[in-house]
Amino acid sequence: MKLVRYGARGAEKPGLVDAEGQVRDLSAHVGDISGATLGDAELARLAAIDPATLPVVQVDRYGPCVGAIGKFLCIGLNYSDHAAETGATVPTEPVIFTKATSAITGPNDHVEIPKGSTKTDWEVELGIVIGKEARYVEEADALDHIAGYCVINDVSERAFQLERQGTWDKGKGCDTFGPIGPWLVTRDEVADPTALAMWLEVNGHRYQDGSTATMVYKPAFLVSYVSQFMSLQPGDVISTGTPPGVGMGQKPPVFLKAGDVMELGIEGLGQQRQTVTAYRA
């Protein structure tokens, strides 16, 4: 299934995308697409519904494809070719950092350059959505804890991230820096999450044109690894890293400015489009 949340910010309704690409309203069957919805039994119940029996809706806005996210975790330097472009080496263990949940926004909402920013950047990433609690999970069992996958733009302010004497979180959690969606694609529809084409363009120029095939630490390993340090709860999201082509890797570097338009997508998981705006008090 392709599950969506649509409607005004803070009042999103649940839906699914049918075989013809139409959004169907799920409100009569579930309150939201969130942690309580994402277990195997509940997903099987929704999958058994005939989409033709659901009302077709016209979508003016997609919200984040998961509601009430408890933890928004990210993996740094997880693509060998991206690590090389930044001059870094692939870490011997995954780098974990967080994005504030206040950064979460819809896939086509504006991205705001934060106050004082000089180096706002882009990163197309594969998102993992947790469907079942994971605590000290073995890698062989980890995929059973994944509800599905989605597109994430891990927007980053590089000066805040790397030059402000602190953890990466400073440059990762700014408001609007976490567009998620448009779809949560359940794991049964993603045959191999490590073989998906992914891309990102700014103003029509393709900067990122990669594949999850160059991901160093794969989804099953990441879920297992993170679960050794904290329990993962249904509805938690892990953003798994980016391929090469980010702005700071260009020669000379290129950073976002007001009026720029980012378009990005991952094979089978949908596309996003964000207009960049200036900070407004």
Side-chain angles (χ1 to χ4, degrees):
M1 286 183 294
K2 294 181 176 69
L3 298 172
V4 300
R5 299 172 71 248
Y6 66 92
R9 185 188 301 271
E12 290 91 349
K13 296 180 179 180
L16 62 78
V17 181
D18 68 17
E20 287 71 46
Q22 302 175 108
V23 175
R24 302 272 183 164
D25 181 32
L26 274 173
S27 297
H29 299 273
V30 67
D32 198 1
I33 306 300
S34 59
T37 314
L38 299 177
D40 287 348
E42 186 68 359
L43 289 177
R45 182 180 72 83
L46 296 180
I49 299 169
D50 180 359
T53 65
L54 302 172
V56 175
V57 293
Q58 298 301 314
V59 175
D60 294 324
R61 174 186 177 270
Y62 285 102
C65 61
V66 187
I69 295 170
K71 291 192 287 295
F72 191 1
L73 305 170
C74 302
I75 308 300
L77 300 173
N78 194 31
Y79 281 67
S80 54
D81 37 11
H82 170 58
E85 77 170 340
T86 64
T89 57
V90 174
T92 56
E93 295 186 42
V95 173
I96 302 173
F97 61 91
T98 64
K99 288 178 84 80
T101 54
S102 54
I104 295 169
T105 190
N108 302 320
D109 293 342
H110 292 342
V111 165
E112 181 184 87
I113 295 177
K115 184 178 181 179
S117 168
T118 58
K119 298 180 179 179
T120 297
D121 204 347
W122 57 82
E123 295 188 16
V124 59
E125 304 202 0
L126 173 70
I128 295 170
V129 181
I130 299 299
K132 182 172 68 172
E133 182 183 40
R135 186 168 181 263
Y136 301 116
V137 171
E138 296 295 330
E139 184 176 355
D141 302 320
L143 291 181
D144 294 339
H145 295 260
I146 296 175
Y149 303 91
C150 62
V151 180
I152 294 175
N153 189 353
D154 175 20
V155 186
S156 309
E157 213 296 337
R158 302 302 188 186
F160 295 179
Q161 176 190 356
L162 302 172
E163 302 168 20
R164 295 292 296 273
Q165 302 301 313
T167 64
W168 286 11
D169 306 52
K170 286 183 179 179
K172 295 289 191 171
C174 303
D175 292 352
T176 75
F177 271 25
I180 298 178
W183 309 328
L184 190 170
V185 182
T186 52
R187 72 175 187 271
D188 58 298
E189 290 200 11
V190 182
D192 185 356
T194 68
L196 303 176
M198 54 201 312
W199 57 274
L200 183 146
E201 297 178 352
V202 180
N203 302 328
H205 178 81
R206 183 158 294 197
Y207 284 96
Q208 292 189 275
D209 194 0
S211 168
T212 57
T214 63
M215 187 186 296
V216 177
Y217 300 109
K218 311 301 185 184
F221 180 87
L222 291 174
V223 170
S224 174
Y225 183 83
V226 174
S227 80
Q228 310 305 309
F229 302 98
M230 67 194 80
S231 63
L232 293 168
Q233 303 300 322
D236 286 350
V237 173
I238 304 173
S239 198
T240 59
T242 198
V246 300
M248 74 172 179
Q250 306 302 307
K251 301 186 184 304
V254 176
F255 297 111
L256 294 166
K257 62 186 183 302
D260 286 346
V261 175
M262 292 182 282
E263 296 180 273
L264 57 146
I266 298 178
E267 180 183 357
L269 304 184
Q271 299 183 19
Q272 301 184 354
R273 185 181 192 275
Q274 299 110 26
T275 299
V276 179
T277 62
Y279 166 77
R280 295 178 183 176

